[in-house]
Short mmCIF file of all heavy atoms in Angstrom, two decimals:
data_model
loop_
_atom_site.label_atom_id
_atom_site.label_comp_id
_atom_site.label_asym_id
_atom_site.label_seq_id
_atom_site.Cartn_x
_atom_site.Cartn_y
_atom_site.Cartn_z
N LEU A 18 23.95 4.38 11.21
CA LEU A 18 24.32 3.40 12.24
C LEU A 18 25.73 2.83 11.99
O LEU A 18 26.50 2.64 12.95
CB LEU A 18 23.29 2.26 12.24
CG LEU A 18 21.88 2.63 12.69
CD1 LEU A 18 20.96 1.42 12.50
CD2 LEU A 18 21.90 3.03 14.15
N PHE A 19 26.04 2.60 10.71
CA PHE A 19 27.34 1.98 10.39
C PHE A 19 27.98 2.81 9.26
O PHE A 19 27.96 2.42 8.11
CB PHE A 19 27.15 0.54 9.94
CG PHE A 19 26.34 -0.31 10.88
CD1 PHE A 19 25.04 -0.60 10.64
CD2 PHE A 19 26.94 -0.78 12.05
CE1 PHE A 19 24.27 -1.37 11.48
CE2 PHE A 19 26.19 -1.57 12.92
CZ PHE A 19 24.86 -1.87 12.66
N PRO A 20 28.52 3.98 9.60
CA PRO A 20 29.02 4.88 8.55
C PRO A 20 30.23 4.31 7.78
O PRO A 20 31.07 3.63 8.35
CB PRO A 20 29.40 6.13 9.33
CG PRO A 20 29.66 5.64 10.72
CD PRO A 20 28.70 4.52 10.95
N THR A 21 30.24 4.58 6.49
CA THR A 21 31.39 4.32 5.63
C THR A 21 32.11 5.61 5.40
O THR A 21 31.49 6.65 5.17
CB THR A 21 30.90 3.74 4.29
OG1 THR A 21 30.20 2.53 4.50
CG2 THR A 21 32.09 3.45 3.40
N PHE A 22 33.42 5.58 5.45
CA PHE A 22 34.18 6.78 5.32
C PHE A 22 34.94 6.78 3.99
O PHE A 22 35.47 5.76 3.52
CB PHE A 22 35.16 6.95 6.46
CG PHE A 22 34.46 7.10 7.80
CD1 PHE A 22 34.31 5.99 8.65
CD2 PHE A 22 33.93 8.32 8.17
CE1 PHE A 22 33.63 6.11 9.84
CE2 PHE A 22 33.27 8.43 9.40
CZ PHE A 22 33.11 7.34 10.23
N CYS A 23 34.99 7.96 3.36
CA CYS A 23 35.56 8.13 2.04
C CYS A 23 37.04 7.72 2.06
O CYS A 23 37.80 8.10 2.95
CB CYS A 23 35.42 9.55 1.59
SG CYS A 23 36.14 9.92 -0.02
N ARG A 24 37.46 6.97 1.04
CA ARG A 24 38.83 6.50 0.94
C ARG A 24 39.80 7.64 0.61
O ARG A 24 40.99 7.49 0.78
CB ARG A 24 38.94 5.41 -0.14
CG ARG A 24 38.23 4.12 0.23
CD ARG A 24 38.92 3.44 1.39
NE ARG A 24 40.25 3.04 1.05
CZ ARG A 24 40.60 1.82 0.71
NH1 ARG A 24 39.70 0.86 0.69
NH2 ARG A 24 41.85 1.53 0.39
N LEU A 25 39.28 8.78 0.15
CA LEU A 25 40.15 9.89 -0.21
C LEU A 25 40.20 10.98 0.88
O LEU A 25 41.28 11.42 1.23
CB LEU A 25 39.72 10.51 -1.53
CG LEU A 25 40.13 9.73 -2.77
CD1 LEU A 25 39.02 8.77 -3.18
CD2 LEU A 25 40.47 10.66 -3.90
N CYS A 26 39.05 11.37 1.40
CA CYS A 26 39.06 12.51 2.34
C CYS A 26 38.60 12.13 3.75
O CYS A 26 38.59 12.96 4.62
CB CYS A 26 38.16 13.63 1.78
SG CYS A 26 36.39 13.24 1.86
N SER A 27 38.18 10.86 3.93
CA SER A 27 37.77 10.34 5.24
C SER A 27 36.45 10.89 5.73
O SER A 27 36.04 10.64 6.88
CB SER A 27 38.84 10.57 6.32
OG SER A 27 40.05 9.93 5.96
N ALA A 28 35.73 11.65 4.89
CA ALA A 28 34.39 12.14 5.28
C ALA A 28 33.39 11.00 5.18
O ALA A 28 33.61 10.03 4.42
CB ALA A 28 33.98 13.30 4.36
N PRO A 29 32.29 11.04 5.94
CA PRO A 29 31.28 9.98 5.82
C PRO A 29 30.69 9.95 4.39
O PRO A 29 30.46 10.97 3.78
CB PRO A 29 30.20 10.42 6.83
CG PRO A 29 30.92 11.33 7.76
CD PRO A 29 31.96 12.02 6.95
N VAL A 30 30.56 8.74 3.88
CA VAL A 30 29.94 8.55 2.59
C VAL A 30 28.41 8.45 2.79
O VAL A 30 27.93 7.43 3.27
CB VAL A 30 30.47 7.29 1.87
CG1 VAL A 30 29.73 7.08 0.53
CG2 VAL A 30 31.97 7.36 1.69
N LEU A 31 27.72 9.52 2.48
CA LEU A 31 26.26 9.52 2.70
C LEU A 31 25.56 9.09 1.41
O LEU A 31 25.22 7.95 1.21
CB LEU A 31 25.85 10.90 3.16
CG LEU A 31 26.47 11.35 4.49
CD1 LEU A 31 26.08 12.77 4.84
CD2 LEU A 31 26.10 10.40 5.59
N GLU A 32 25.38 10.02 0.50
CA GLU A 32 24.79 9.66 -0.78
C GLU A 32 25.83 9.90 -1.86
O GLU A 32 26.32 11.02 -2.05
CB GLU A 32 23.57 10.50 -1.05
CG GLU A 32 22.39 10.18 -0.12
CD GLU A 32 21.14 10.94 -0.51
OE1 GLU A 32 20.95 11.20 -1.72
OE2 GLU A 32 20.36 11.23 0.40
N SER A 33 26.19 8.86 -2.57
CA SER A 33 27.22 8.93 -3.59
C SER A 33 26.95 7.88 -4.65
O SER A 33 26.44 6.82 -4.32
CB SER A 33 28.61 8.73 -2.98
OG SER A 33 29.60 8.67 -4.00
N PRO A 34 27.26 8.16 -5.90
CA PRO A 34 27.04 7.13 -6.94
C PRO A 34 28.02 5.99 -6.83
O PRO A 34 27.80 4.94 -7.46
CB PRO A 34 27.25 7.91 -8.26
CG PRO A 34 28.10 9.08 -7.87
CD PRO A 34 27.73 9.45 -6.48
N VAL A 35 29.10 6.13 -6.05
CA VAL A 35 30.11 5.10 -5.93
C VAL A 35 30.38 4.79 -4.47
O VAL A 35 30.74 5.71 -3.71
CB VAL A 35 31.42 5.54 -6.61
CG1 VAL A 35 32.48 4.48 -6.45
CG2 VAL A 35 31.18 5.82 -8.11
N PRO A 36 30.17 3.55 -4.03
CA PRO A 36 30.47 3.18 -2.63
C PRO A 36 31.93 3.44 -2.29
O PRO A 36 32.79 3.36 -3.16
CB PRO A 36 30.17 1.70 -2.59
CG PRO A 36 29.28 1.41 -3.77
CD PRO A 36 29.68 2.41 -4.84
N TRP A 37 32.18 3.78 -1.03
CA TRP A 37 33.50 3.99 -0.44
C TRP A 37 34.15 5.31 -0.91
O TRP A 37 35.26 5.62 -0.54
CB TRP A 37 34.47 2.83 -0.75
CG TRP A 37 33.95 1.55 -0.23
CD1 TRP A 37 33.88 1.14 1.07
CD2 TRP A 37 33.42 0.45 -0.97
NE1 TRP A 37 33.36 -0.10 1.19
CE2 TRP A 37 33.06 -0.56 -0.07
CE3 TRP A 37 33.23 0.23 -2.34
CZ2 TRP A 37 32.50 -1.77 -0.45
CZ3 TRP A 37 32.67 -0.98 -2.74
CH2 TRP A 37 32.33 -1.94 -1.80
#
Side-chain angles (χ1 to χ4, degrees):
L18 293 174
F19 308 103
T21 299
F22 297 98
C23 178
R24 292 293 296 261
L25 282 92
C26 71
S27 300
V30 178
L31 300 176
E32 292 186 31
S33 174
V35 178
W37 302 289

